[in-house]
Amino acid sequence: MPQIAQLAATYSSQIFWVLLTFGFVFFVIGLGMVPKIQSTVDARDKKIADDLEAARANSAKADTLEADWRTKENEARAAAQARVAAAKAEAARNREAALAKADAAIGDKVATAEGQIEAGRVKALSEIEAVAADAAADIVRKVAGAQVSSDAALKAVKAVI
Amino acid sequence: MAEPGKIDPMHQFAIEPLFGTEQLAVGGYNIAFTNSALWMVITVVVLWVFMLGGMKRDLVPGRWQAAVESMTGFIAKLTDDNIGKGGRKYVPYIFSLFMFILFANLLGLLPIGIFGLHPFTFTSHFTVTGVLAILSFSIVLIVGFWKHGLHFFSLFVPQGTPLWLIWLIPIIEFVSFMVRPFSLGLRLFVAMIAGHILLKVLAGFVINASAAGVVPGLGVGIPSFALMVGISALEILVAGIQAYVFALLTSLYIHDAEHLH
């Protein structure tokens, strides 16, 4: 086994060269390069974490903005609906009032007309009575030859009618 | 050395100085640039090139950058899970350990023998795995005593130890604690050497059987080759698992040092 057979002759060279080469690996690669590579990885991990955090914050912000917008939208919608309802109520009230006014006017007109008709009728009736009394007095005079006063004739006519 | 015509499965672990540096020494200690050292350097270069792909630092990673980041993320998660609080400061060390062993194991499995080159798995030498294990163990000791002072010795008295066992449990705990660097280093070394020997032995079967004639060549060679394919796949798995186990156990031991029990 050369490891043992050559031990006395080669141990110092082996130890020297392994210390030299491993020392180079440790000081140049281990201490020089590894921390830089690790810091790159850490920086990347941090950037990813930060970006995720920012995205999460932006998402939350967007959510609140949307919620705000929704409340505002709802408020505006409610206000618009209230306004429409008010306008509707107002219109209904106006219509009611106009209707009532028109109704009253029509009622008045109808009442006046009815009064006029009644007056006309009464007048016509009295005229008819007068004419009938005259006619009756004429008839009595012509048939019976008796003179009948217009008052008696009117009385008699009224009794008949 | 092996006799001519015989295939020595251990030869792949032999260390040979390269470029005439066998006499290179510092303070009386030989530091020859060997094939083992060459593959350590290759491992470092390949790992460094791999890591460069992760240094683009784009916000949206490409495939290569994502691959590098998945490795650092894997180790970061390992330390988070196993060390817990305060574990991130060990990521550079655990990552270096894991990637160094992983790339060494995988590069040692490269089939570049067909180009006449010889891959060398330096993690199959306990001199190398031992150094890495002692490094990990030293970190545990240093962190433990630095953070907890002498209170670190309470590691040897687990909570809920009955009073009448107080003389025995610390001894068992101490032994198991001191065995850690050995188990850490030997586990990797044994796993790597075993797989490589098995592959080389089977390859020897294929070559010797085909040299012996058509009938043994087909009868022994084909099953051996099929087995080699399967074991090669298994070795790739083992290469990853052993690197992971080394990193995992190191982080578990560091957890003990950081938080005691």
Side-chain angles (χ1 to χ4, degrees):
Chain A
M1 192 187 270
Q3 284 90 337
I4 294 169
Q6 292 184 306
L7 182 59
T10 60
Y11 78 95
S12 54
S13 149
Q14 288 281 77
I15 292 170
F16 172 79
W17 286 105
V18 79
L19 283 178
L20 192 73
T21 49
F22 183 71
F24 180 87
V25 168
F26 176 65
F27 286 108
V28 175
I29 293 175
L31 289 179
M33 294 165 121
V34 170
K36 284 187 187 142
I37 292 167
Q38 204 56 36
S39 74
T40 308
V41 175
D42 290 344
R44 180 182 313 126
D45 288 351
K46 189 178 176 308
K47 173 132 181 60
I48 290 171
D50 286 355
D51 285 358
L52 277 177
E53 191 52 46
R56 211 166 286 136
N58 280 339
S59 171
K61 205 169 141 194
D63 281 352
T64 45
L65 277 180
E66 199 198 338
D68 280 1
W69 174 82
R70 207 169 283 283
T71 10
K72 250 176 219 162
E73 168 87 3
N74 284 347
E75 275 168 9
R77 201 182 291 275
Q81 261 160 7
R83 202 170 281 178
V84 166
K88 249 183 204 164
E90 175 82 20
R93 238 193 339 272
N94 286 348
R95 199 181 56 220
E96 215 102 301
L99 228 68
K101 215 163 132 191
D103 229 23
I106 290 165
D108 278 359
K109 221 174 239 177
V110 166
T112 315
E114 272 173 352
Q116 277 171 0
I117 290 166
E118 185 62 27
R121 202 176 64 83
V122 168
K123 201 177 155 198
L125 210 59
S126 61
E127 272 169 12
I128 285 169
E129 277 169 357
V131 170
D134 277 354
D138 274 356
I139 290 164
V140 167
R141 191 169 13 95
K142 275 181 187 158
V143 172
Q147 198 69 34
V148 179
S149 75
S150 59
D151 278 354
L154 198 58
K155 206 176 262 171
V157 165
K158 262 185 186 160
V160 171
I161 291 172
Chain B
M1 278 309 284
E3 299 163 36
K6 257 193 160 180
I7 290 147
D8 176 12
M10 303 309 284
H11 180 63
Q12 58 177 326
F13 304 116
I15 294 172
E16 293 149 9
L18 298 176
F19 315 123
T21 56
E22 58 260 53
Q23 297 310 322
L24 197 63
V26 167
Y29 291 104
N30 181 287
I31 56 160
F33 189 78
T34 59
N35 51 348
S36 173
L38 172 69
W39 281 89
M40 293 175 196
V41 172
I42 290 172
T43 300
V44 170
V45 170
V46 172
L47 177 55
W48 184 65
V49 169
F50 173 72
M51 293 302 289
L52 273 186
M55 295 300 284
K56 276 185 286 194
R57 313 190 68 182
D58 288 338
L59 188 61
V60 178
R63 279 180 212 179
W64 196 332
Q65 193 188 338
V68 176
E69 284 173 0
S70 75
M71 296 313 286
T72 61
F74 172 67
I75 297 300
K77 191 174 178 307
L78 181 80
T79 57
D80 281 349
D81 290 348
N82 293 301
I83 305 178
K85 196 170 144 286
R88 281 293 172 108
K89 59 177 173 286
Y90 300 103
V91 167
Y93 176 70
I94 308 273
F95 183 82
S96 304
L97 201 56
F98 176 72
M99 295 303 272
F100 189 62
I101 295 171
L102 178 70
F103 273 60
N105 292 352
L106 289 176
L107 289 172
L109 282 171
L110 282 182
I112 56 173
I114 53 175
F115 304 117
L117 301 167
H118 295 287
F120 184 89
T121 318
F122 62 83
T123 44
S124 64
H125 276 254
F126 57 78
T127 40
V128 172
T129 60
V131 167
L132 297 177
I134 289 167
L135 273 179
S136 289
F137 191 66
S138 309
I139 287 174
V140 170
L141 288 182
I142 292 167
V143 169
F145 283 113
W146 186 278
K147 267 197 90 132
H148 304 289
L150 291 179
H151 193 61
F152 184 55
F153 284 111
S154 73
L155 191 67
F156 302 131
V157 188
Q159 246 167 10
T161 306
L163 268 182
W164 62 277
L165 273 177
I166 207 84
W167 59 275
L168 179 62
I169 295 289
I171 297 168
I172 297 173
E173 287 283 327
F174 180 73
V175 169
S176 83
F177 184 78
M178 294 312 288
V179 157
R180 283 174 177 184
F182 296 97
S183 68
L184 203 55
L186 288 177
R187 182 182 296 109
L188 176 58
F189 149 69
V190 165
M192 296 325 290
I193 195 176
H196 282 263
I197 290 174
L198 191 54
L199 282 176
K200 200 67 75 171
V201 166
L202 288 170
F205 282 176
V206 175
I207 292 165
N208 287 335
S210 51
V214 175
V215 174
L218 293 178
V220 177
I222 288 176
S224 297
F225 187 74
L227 204 54
M228 275 184 78
V229 172
I231 288 173
S232 293
L234 191 68
E235 280 306 300
I236 294 171
L237 185 70
V238 168
I241 286 176
Q242 288 304 323
Y244 175 66
V245 165
F246 206 108
L248 178 70
L249 286 176
T250 299
S251 62
L252 284 175
Y253 297 160
I254 289 175
H255 169 267
D256 281 354
E258 274 274 322
H259 309 294
L260 293 178
H261 271 297

